[in-house]
């Protein structure tokens, strides 16, 4: 009989204070389990001394999560204490203003010694009635940096809390009766296994003026996971909006549903969403109420593509059900008229939340951490974007070196164009300085015997030509941009050339099958470039760093040209080159072809 | 195998709570065991409110103008600490100085009780009743208290029937070594319902005595505002028992201090370097000097002010700690330093002059000489320039060695470190260019306010038209919180080269509208121009009035003024009325290194004042209408301040209720602010 | 190793069960509660609250607060259904109200509900009992979103205030004081259950504990009964049970005015009541007065009246107001450092008396 013996083993191990004899073994077991969990996770809890809040380490190299409202207004160089009693220098990495999340990085005192860190849990598994442990530094009590530990229940899940002055919208958050107070902000919420399930940041404090009244809220860790790629690449991350206004059907109706009550020109509208459509599912979750809809929307950064299922009543009374893949636009107002623009760095008001940093204007970076900081519009700390970008470029480089191949490029493929039944020959070509004036580069193509030519960098080039061949959304320009990237890297672009964090990437639906966005979805690392008014996103497989595909947008108010590459093989020079390609534009597939050959000449 | 194990066990958690009654039984058994040694304490008489810093979340204000903790009239709790009738409880329960204390022991037997002594550091009070054979609690040693273990807070106040079970609140241990190493922290709900009661573990052993506490404040009510918030404290019973004999002697125990202030306000980020040493303090006796870096206390290395405090926090007056310091390059062991009880520095001496401001020249020019002061006696005249000065140690016959005085600050720090009756000498350059050496004895600080000190107070060069000036007149700023705004009033005649006094107006509750602020500015305009003041007016929550939580907002307003204007550090004054006055006192004691004066109108002080710090002077001006309901408590406030030897002017305004200043008093306050840099 | 694994899996099975019970509790209780929306939204009074369904045809118990003063009372059921509601009966003495969902016409049936009459038969829960609280505090939930769930313990079973006449709570009977922060805006009318999900009481209003001047968290036991002294001097029991059983026919009692005792003549003259909490020292004993006969002396300090602690002259006089001639009063007084119990019988105030009893 092993089982009944276990609790006692535990009691003796961890509870000298309580005579095992006095107590029911079940209780001892529960006590010791809790003690052990706390003992295990305490070292990962951070006292964010600058800003008077809390945080939690999530990686051995010192990355830690906290609240935006803890570090906002502070210098990007911070001081953080750990339970070991030591004060560490730290640097701001990424900011999510609307989600009230900040990623910071502690600098080790000894490079060989890894930081203790908390394992990330799955906040979607958390249920009302579960127990939770909160840790942090309420009221700056931790003068020795050891965290305050509180224990309680999960009071609600998938809660929605309205933004305060347009900031700190807590979507899909966890409600707890575990005591959190001013200063707990940014600190961890753990499940009883010691996994990080949320970041404590808000509470219903109205009753007692910033003193806990039994209702605290934690940002769910699953939401933060979606933003992690962006945060790590040093961005001021923007949240998403659909480009549509939703309302809870009719407040007076006895049942609630989510209806589209307004639309602006957006990807959603191009995908066919209309006013009076009823939203049934969003990113795979049912949307019965506006809160539920906002909860889902809040989970994603701007630019992500997520499936949406809607229902449309027809005149004849019947109703149609459709699933579309929507490219989400930005939440920040200025993005509505300019979806591809970077979020501008904004002045930082404080929340009336648990903490109130002392000053308004960020102070200058100082101290040993300052060398890890670089200011740039649209970034919390550009240093980390460059770091991530260069890491990505290095990994891509392993798949082949194209630097020398600055001469003519040609790709030949055989496949189906649009809905033409038959196979056609496709040729894509780039000739440096190939234009009539001998200055501009020239991109040409032959599609089923018809010739097209574009000068991608020519100023007078018309928008229409840029999208040639018709129906491709700009395949020639895309091929040109691809060559720029592979041959010249950063030098090939004049505008943006940055790491774009992580985004979902959807593999093309196999011929003749219905799209299944759950099955075809994978995570991809994104590189963002811009050149000659063309913004591109390059998607790489984080496993082998092969180029999965790209979105090349010649017109920010229209759909981009999407190319998907697959079936990679080594060429004679050991470079990895795709053997298949699929080109999409909007809802239509333009080309599905097998690549017969690549010709890439030196100068 | 353990690894397997902890992955599984946590699941069991809620089962134990929700599936059978084993948990409830465990709690009831534990509490039953601890009940016998608990007593109920009932008091009569005493004051209605314990004045204190404004209490956050307190909706109903206390008696007119004097917010603070309204001491409930209900019973409180205590715990037996020796069978022959000694009982401990939270000092909070007696903060209202009751006339009579009755204690009911287990079974409901009532006894007359008297207070023996209070541990002013742990805020625990020892009482005595005439009884024997009282049941003792079982003490759980601090060493075996573990963060995360179940902790039950118990009180004996909610039910009057003698044998009614105590009230319980179940939580866990949140931390140990809190409040500078003194307290255990729990998330069980701690409040007046159980202050003074025991915090017990699941075996019914007593870990500590429940008290309100806060690391940022001292006094019986400190930390009260956190009641029931999941932030609760208990003072370890083991340590209380250790001090029992000392307390039985009937003398209060006081926290031990060295008598130094630190150079920086940063408690964590910078090394502990001594800023000021208080006269006659243990630190001074041990030979500690400004600039010394403290490297270890009681054998423990310290790298920050906080770490130093964590070492000293648990110690009492008379305790000895070894202190090691670094002076320049050499490390010194100061040996055993006997700590003093929180000490008042003796009143420092004064010359009786006003110095000229914004003085670029070497030395200090005399702006004004107060009549009948030592300066007057030795014939110091307006316009004289003090070039050198020096103090000779008390009772020493030898003349003071003179050293050059660079500027106002240097002379000030010399005077602030002095004591009354100390011999001084100085070399002065007269208007006619002759230099003389004068000798005298430093006098006591005088509070006389001359009708009109010389207008000319500054030697600042008038800046050219080209100099870009900041916003003048009425300036409105958004607080960082974005939810509040604060106002500034800058004289149109603002001169960037001259230092300006800063008057921070803390409005009475509900009087924070722009209009009301501007009206007040209007009254002050003339003085702001004459004496060079800038006024800043932060706001508090309309309903709650000022709460400690508003400190940030106030500091932010002050900081803004300092960042954007030329502010004279010697004349930063909080000027408040009603709850604003309350807040002024609170802030002044919280921000010693910054605030130099408090001008309170119709408002009493909260918790009793903190000890004087010679190096961080603080002066008070109390004005109240003779018909103001809180006249009494204002007079009480004055008494307290004088006890603590703070310079304090008191003015009673004829035929006035709870109103703002009449013009003569306003005139006086304005002048008083102008005199704050007197030496 | 494999042995361990086996054991582990075994445990896991049990453990999983365990976790489920807590979650089941939430799922089981939630359908029996309604989110209430009515008048309010001014003076910090919330316009939302909570109620508990007590019959399959839609009777609902909640707290008798400002919310009900609305012509347009609405509820959201657990499944998001939105229904009108109307007030059936109110009992101010218990601070509870009975509502009915739907309009007179609409037919409502098969709602999940609590059998309160059964719950009332259960014994009172003891201090130390683990409790779970469910309410729509702070209006966190709307439509089909579940209520907020909290865990705590019964801290005590006690009067809202141990003191007569001071506390202004409508309900003066015993309550469950709990150590969870349950009494938040909109929580009133929510419920407290034991670990089995059995109904223990209704979460009360937001009140301050007058004895400690702090916010108090309490629930009115479902068994609540109070003795009300009526205007005619007689007294009557009122209970939630009666309210629930009589429904439409329930008529609240009209209660006697406070201090209707009018006091009685005792002959103690107390020291002038000057400061806010003047200790009740006897200054003078009127000759031949009950106090005189009982042997009370000047300088005696009255500390208890019939077991109630008195902290000031004001409170003492309030308490004595409740009595009437011929009532017996037991005083505990402090004489020097000794406590003594002295009982005296009040008389009718003599006409000629220079100082009339309680108010000299």
């Amino acid at each position: 009989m092993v089982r009944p013996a276990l609790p006692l083993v535990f009691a003796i191990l961890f509870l000298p204070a309580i005579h095992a004899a006095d107590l029911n073994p079940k209780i001892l077991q529960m006590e010791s389990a809790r003690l052990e969990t706390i003992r295990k996770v305490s070292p990962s809890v951070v006292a964010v001394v600058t800003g008077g809040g809390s945080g939690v380490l999530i990686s051995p190299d010192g990355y830690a999560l906290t609240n935006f409202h803890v570090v906002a207004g502070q210098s990007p160089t911070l001081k953080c204490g750990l339970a070991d009693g030591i004060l560490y220098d730290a640097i701001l990495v990424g900011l999510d203003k609307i989600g009230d999340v900040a990623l910071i990085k502690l600098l080790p005192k000894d490079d060989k010694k890894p930081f203790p860190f908390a394992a990330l849990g799955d906040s979607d598994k958390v249920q009302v009635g579960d127990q939770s442990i909160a840790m942090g530094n309420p009221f700056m009590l931790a003068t020795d940096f050891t965290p305050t530990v509180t224990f309680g229940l999960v009071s609600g899940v998938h809660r929605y809390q309205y933004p305060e002055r347009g900031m700190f919208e807590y979507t899909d958050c966890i409600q707890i009766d575990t005591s959190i107070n001013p200063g707990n902000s940014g600190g961890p919420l753990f499940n009883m296994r010691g996994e990080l399930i949320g970041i404590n940041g808000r509470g219903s404090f109205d009753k007692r003026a910033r003193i806990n009244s039994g209702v605290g809220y934690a940002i769910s860790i699953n939401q933060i996971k979606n933003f992690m790629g962006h945060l790590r690449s040093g961005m001021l991350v923007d949240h998403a909006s659909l480009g549509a206004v939703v309302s809870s059907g009719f407040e007076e109706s006895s049942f609630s549903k989510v209806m589209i009550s307004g639309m602006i020109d957006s990807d959603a509208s191009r995908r066919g969403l209309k006013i009076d459509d009823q939203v049934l599912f969003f990113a795979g979750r049912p949307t019965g109420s506006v809160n539920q809809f906002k909860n889902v929307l809040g989970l994603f950064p701007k630019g992500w593509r997520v499936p949406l299922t809607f229902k449309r009543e027809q005149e004849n009374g019947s109703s149609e059900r459709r699933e579309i893949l929507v490219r989400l636009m930005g939440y920040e107002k200025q993005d509505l008229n300019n979806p591809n623009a970077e979020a501008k760095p904004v002045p930082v008001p404080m929340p009336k939340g648990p903490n109130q940093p002392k000053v308004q204007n960020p102070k200058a970076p100082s101290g040993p951490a300052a060398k890890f900081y670089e200011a740039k519009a649209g970034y919390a700390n550009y240093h980390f974007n460059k770091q991530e970008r260069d890491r990505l470029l290095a990994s891509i480089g392993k798949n082949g070196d194209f630097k020398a191949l600055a001469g003519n490029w040609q790709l030949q493929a055989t496949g189906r164009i649009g809905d033409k039944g038959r196979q056609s020959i496709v040729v894509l070509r780039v000739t440096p300085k190939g234009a009539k004036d001998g200055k501009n580069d020239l991109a040409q193509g032959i599609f089923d015997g018809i010739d097209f030519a574009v000068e991608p960098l020519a100023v007078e080039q018309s928008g229409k030509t840029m999208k040639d061949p018709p129906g491709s959304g700009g395949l020639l320009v895309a091929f040109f941009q691809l060559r720029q990237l592979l041959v010249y890297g950063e030098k090939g672009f004049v505008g943006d050339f940055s790491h774009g964090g992580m985004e979902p990437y959807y593999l093309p639906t196999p011929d003749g099958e219905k799209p299944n966005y759950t099955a075809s979805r994978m995570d991809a690392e994104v590189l963002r470039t811009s050149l000659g008014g063309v913004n591109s996103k390059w998607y790489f497989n984080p496993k082998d760093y092969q180029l999965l595909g790209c979105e090349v947008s010649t017109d920010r108010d229209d759909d981009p040209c999407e190319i998907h590459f697959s079936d990679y093989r080594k060429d004679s020079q050991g470079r990895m080159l795709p053997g298949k390609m699929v080109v999409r534009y909007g809802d239509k597939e333009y080309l599905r072809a097998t690549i017969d050959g690549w010709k890439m000449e030196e100068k | 195998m353990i690894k397997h194990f902890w992955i599984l066990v946590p699941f069991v958690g809620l089962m134990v709570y929700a599936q059978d009654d084993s948990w409830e039984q465990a709690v009831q058994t534990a509490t039953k065991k601890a009940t016998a040694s608990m007593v109920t304490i009932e008091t009569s008489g005493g004051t209605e409110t314990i004045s204190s810093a404004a209490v956050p979340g307190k909706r109903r204000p206390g008696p007119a103008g004097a917010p603070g903790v309204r001491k409930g009239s209900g019973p409180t709790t205590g715990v037996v600490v020796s069978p022959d009738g000694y009982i401990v409880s939270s000092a909070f329960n007696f903060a209202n100085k009751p006339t009579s204390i009755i204690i009911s022991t287990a079974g409901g037997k009532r006894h007359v009780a008297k207070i023996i002594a209070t541990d002013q550091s742990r805020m625990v009070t020892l009482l005595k009743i005439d009884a024997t054979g009282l049941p003792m609690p079982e003490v759980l040693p601090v060493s075996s208290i573990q963060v995360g273990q179940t902790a039950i807070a118990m009180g004996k106040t909610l039910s009057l029937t003698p044998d009614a079970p105590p009230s319980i609140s179940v939580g866990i241990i949140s931390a140990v070594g809190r409040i500078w190493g003194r307290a255990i922290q729990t998330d069980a709900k701690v409040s007046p319902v159980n202050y003074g009661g025991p915090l017990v573990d699941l075996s019914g052993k007593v870990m500590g005595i429940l008290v309100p506490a806060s690391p940022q404040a001292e006094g019986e009510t400190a930390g009260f505002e956190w009641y029931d918030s999941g932030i609760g404290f208990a003072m370890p019973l083991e340590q209380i028992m250790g001090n029992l004999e000392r307390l039985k002697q009937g003398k209060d125990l006081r926290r031990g201090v060295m008598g130094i202030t630190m150079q920086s306000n940063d408690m964590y980020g910078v090394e502990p370097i001594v800023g000021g040493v208080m006269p006659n303090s243990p630190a001074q006796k041990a030979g500690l000097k400004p600039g010394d870096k403290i490297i270890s206390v009681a054998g423990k290395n310290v790298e920050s002010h906080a770490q130093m405090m964590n070492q000293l926090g648990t110690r009492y007056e008379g305790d000895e700690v070894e202190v090691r310091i670094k002076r320049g390059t050499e490390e010194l062991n100061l040996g055993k330093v006997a700590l003093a009880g929180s000490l008042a520095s003796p009143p420092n001496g004064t010359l009786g002059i006003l110095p000229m401001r914004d003085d670029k020249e070497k030395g200090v020019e005399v702006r004004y000489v107060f009549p009948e002061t030592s300066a007057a006696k030795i014939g110091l005249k307006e316009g004289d320039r003090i070039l050198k000065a020096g103090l000779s140690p008390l009772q020493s016959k030898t003349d003071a060695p003179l050293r050059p005085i660079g500027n106002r600050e240097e002379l000030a720090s010399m005077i602030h470190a002095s004591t009354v009756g100390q011999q001084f000498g100085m070399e002065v350059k007269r208007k006619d260019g002759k230099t003389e050496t004068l000798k005298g004895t430093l006098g006591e600080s005088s509070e006389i306010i001359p009708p009109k000190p010389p207008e000319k107070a500054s030697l600042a060069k008038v800046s050219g038209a080209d100099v870009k000036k900041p916003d003048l007149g009425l300036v409105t700023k958004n607080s960082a919180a974005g939810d509040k705004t604060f106002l500034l009033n800058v004289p149109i005649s603002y001169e960037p080269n001259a230092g300006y006094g800063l008057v921070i107006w803390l409005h009475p509750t509900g009087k924070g509208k722009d209009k009301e602020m501007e009206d007040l500015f209007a009254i002050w305009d003339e003085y702001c121009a004459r004496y060079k003041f800038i006024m800043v007016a932060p706001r508090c929550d309309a309903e709650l009035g000022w709460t400690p939580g508003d400190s940030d907002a106030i500091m932010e307003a002050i900081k803004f003024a300092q960042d954007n204007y030329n502010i004279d550090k010697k004349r930063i004054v909080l000027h408040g009325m009603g709850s604003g006055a309350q807040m002024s006192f609170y802030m002044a004691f919280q921000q010693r290194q910054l605030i130099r004066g408090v001008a309170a109108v119709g408002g009493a002080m909260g918790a009793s004042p903190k000890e004087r710090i010679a190096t961080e002077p603080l002066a008070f001006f109390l004005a109240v209408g003779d018909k103001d309901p809180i006249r009494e408590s204002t007079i009480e406030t004055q008494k307290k301040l004088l006890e603590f030897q703070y310079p304090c002017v008191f003015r009673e305004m004829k035929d006035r209720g709870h109103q703002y200043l009449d013009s003569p008093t306003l005139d006086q306050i304005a002048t008083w602010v102008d005199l704050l840099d007197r030496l | 190793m494999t042995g361990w694994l086996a054991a582990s899996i075994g445990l896991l099975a049990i453990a999983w069960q365990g976790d489920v019970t807590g979650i089941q509790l939430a799922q089981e209780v939630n359908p029996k509660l309604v989110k209430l929306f009515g008048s309010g939204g001014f003076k910090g009074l919330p316009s939302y609250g909570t109620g508990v369904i007590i019959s399959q045809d839609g009777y609902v118990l909640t707290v008798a607060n400002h919310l009900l003063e609305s012509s347009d009372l609405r509820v959201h059921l657990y499944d998001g259904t939105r229904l009108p509601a109307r007030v059936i009966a109110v009992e101010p003495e218990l601070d509870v109200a009975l509502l009915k969902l739907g309009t007179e016409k609409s037919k409502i049936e098969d709602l999940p509900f609590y059998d309160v009459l059964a719950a009332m038969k259960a014994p009172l829960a003891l201090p130390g009992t683990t409790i779970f609280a469910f309410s729509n505090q702070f209006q966190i939930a709307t439509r089909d979103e579940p209520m907020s769930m909290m865990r705590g313990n019964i801290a005590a079973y006690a009067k809202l205030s141990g003191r007569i006449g001071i506390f202004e709570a409508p309900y003066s009977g015993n309550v469950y004081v709990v150590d969870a922060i349950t009494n938040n805006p909109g929580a009133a009318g929510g419920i407290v259950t034991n670990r089995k999900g059995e109904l223990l009481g209704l979460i009360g209003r937001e009140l301050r504990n007058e004895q400690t001047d702090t916010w108090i968290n309490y629930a009115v036991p479902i068994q609540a009964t109070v003795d009300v002294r009526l205007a005619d001097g007689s007294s009557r029991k009122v209970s939630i049970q009666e309210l629930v059983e009589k429904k439409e026919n329930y008529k609240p009692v009209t209660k006697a005015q406070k201090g209707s005792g009018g006091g009685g003549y005792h002959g103690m003259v107390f020291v002038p009541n000057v400061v806010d909490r003047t200790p009740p020292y006897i200054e003078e004993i009127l000759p031949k007065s009950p106090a005189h006969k009982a042997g009370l002396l000047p300088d005696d300090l009255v500390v208890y009246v019939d077991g109630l602690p008195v902290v000031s002259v004001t409170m003492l006089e309030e308490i004595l107001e409740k009595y009437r001639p011929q009532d017996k009063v037991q005083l505990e007084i402090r004489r020097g450092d000794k406590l003594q119990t002295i009982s005296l019988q009040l008389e009718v105030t003599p006409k000629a008396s220079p100082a009339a009893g309680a108010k000299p």
Side-chain angles (χ1 to χ4, degrees), chain A residues 88-296:
Chain A
Y88 294 83
D89 289 290
I91 183 74
L92 179 65
V93 177
L95 287 173
D96 169 3
K97 184 181 75 179
I98 293 122
D100 194 15
V101 176
L103 184 70
I104 64 176
K105 189 173 189 294
L106 275 64
L107 310 186
K109 299 274 175 194
D110 162 9
D111 290 336
K112 275 160 241 53
K113 193 161 149 291
F115 282 101
F117 66 99
L120 304 193
D122 178 352
S123 50
D124 287 335
K125 288 217 174 73
V126 178
Q127 299 194 63
V128 177
D130 281 349
Q131 299 182 103
S132 60
I133 295 172
M135 297 198 189
N137 186 13
F139 300 120
M140 300 291 277
L141 291 168
T143 56
D144 59 357
F145 304 144
T146 58
T148 287
V149 185
T150 52
F151 174 51
L153 219 56
V154 170
S155 301
V157 294
H158 304 303
R159 293 301 200 193
Y160 177 80
Q161 284 291 299
Y162 280 90
E164 294 170 10
R165 293 183 299 281
M167 310 171 43
F168 312 121
E169 182 182 34
Y170 276 36
T171 52
D172 208 46
C173 62
I174 303 168
Q175 182 199 341
I176 49 173
D177 74 357
T178 313
S179 306
I180 59 168
N181 280 286
N184 272 105
S185 287
L189 183 71
F190 293 107
N191 63 17
M192 296 312 286
R193 288 204 235 32
E195 297 163 335
L196 182 64
I197 55 171
I199 294 297
N200 303 315
R202 239 173 106 168
S204 295
F205 291 116
D206 352 9
K207 179 172 175 179
R208 280 183 59 191
R210 301 177 65 217
I211 302 262
N212 165 56
S213 49
V215 180
Y217 304 98
I219 304 153
S220 64
I221 198 66
N222 287 16
Q223 173 181 328
I224 296 174
K225 285 175 191 167
N226 290 344
F227 288 81
M228 194 64 80
H230 290 59
L231 290 168
R232 274 176 167 269
S233 59
M235 297 187 209
L236 279 173
V237 192
D238 189 11
H239 271 240
S241 62
L242 181 59
V245 186
V246 301
S247 63
S248 69
F250 322 92
E251 171 48 31
E252 295 315 304
S253 77
S254 66
F255 281 100
S256 99
K257 47 185 174 177
V258 173
M259 308 294 292
I260 301 293
S261 58
M263 293 283 311
I264 62 169
D265 181 21
S266 64
D267 191 64
S269 63
R270 287 195 292 272
R271 300 287 75 75
L273 193 65
K274 287 205 180 67
I275 289 180
D276 292 342
D277 288 345
Q278 180 188 350
V279 181
L280 299 173
F281 294 89
F282 191 19
R285 271 166 57 168
T287 50
S289 73
V290 172
N291 279 4
Q292 285 165 11
F293 176 85
K294 287 177 174 169
N295 277 339
V296 178

Side-chain angles (χ1 to χ4, degrees), chain C residues 27-241:
Chain C
Q27 288 161 350
E28 196 178 290
V29 173
N30 195 54
K32 301 174 184 170
L33 299 176
V34 297
K35 303 158 194 93
L36 203 52
F37 302 90
S39 64
F42 46 84
K43 292 204 257 67
L45 293 173
S47 60
Y48 51 91
T50 317
V52 54
I53 306 173
I54 61 164
S55 74
Q56 60 88 26
D57 59 346
Y59 280 97
V60 167
L61 267 184
T62 186
V63 165
N65 62 11
H66 64 278
L67 216 60
L68 310 179
E69 299 149 16
S70 161
S71 54
D72 175 27
L73 207 55
R74 283 159 286 112
V75 302
H76 291 177
L77 297 183
Y78 72 103
D79 63 0
T81 318
R82 184 177 174 287
L83 289 171
R86 57 188 205 279
V87 180
I88 298 300
V90 173
E91 176 45 85
E93 288 303 313
L94 297 165
D95 203 21
V96 294
L98 186 66
L99 314 180
K100 178 84 166 67
L101 302 186
T103 59
E104 279 78 355
K105 285 161 229 59
S106 57
K107 183 159 176 4
I108 290 176
E109 51 192 5
D110 302 334
L111 293 177
F113 68 99
Y114 268 110
D115 181 345
V116 274
L117 295 177
M120 288 163 183
K121 294 190 182 63
L124 287 162
L126 301 169
T129 305
T130 300
I131 56 110
F132 294 85
F134 298 84
S135 78
N136 192 22
Q137 52 181 336
F138 297 105
Q139 199 184 0
I140 294 161
T142 59
R143 290 290 187 172
D144 63 343
E145 293 169 320
M147 301 281 171
S148 297
M149 178 189 195
M150 294 176 135
R151 183 179 68 216
N153 304 267
I154 293 184
Y157 177 71
K159 278 212 175 319
L160 262 182
S161 166
R163 248 196 300 130
I164 298 172
I166 309 298
F167 198 37
E168 293 314 330
Y171 171 70
S172 56
N174 278 322
V175 298
Y176 293 126
V177 180
V178 299
D179 68 352
I181 309 174
T182 50
N183 295 49
N184 280 322
I191 63 166
V192 162
T193 77
N194 62 14
R195 58 182 168 76
K196 300 201 197 92
E198 294 161 345
L199 179 61
L200 299 182
L202 292 182
I203 296 171
R205 303 166 174 249
E206 293 177 82
L207 293 176
R208 291 182 78 92
N209 174 338
E210 288 291 319
Q211 293 199 331
T212 56
D213 199 47
T214 54
W215 291 100
I216 183 172
N217 297 295
Y218 73 96
V220 176
I222 199 69
Q223 300 92 335
T225 309
V226 281
D227 264 313
V228 186
R229 186 184 270 188
L230 305 180
D232 62 15
S234 69
S235 79
R236 164 150 176 280
K237 280 204 184 324
V238 297
S239 66
I240 296 182
Q241 179 173 8

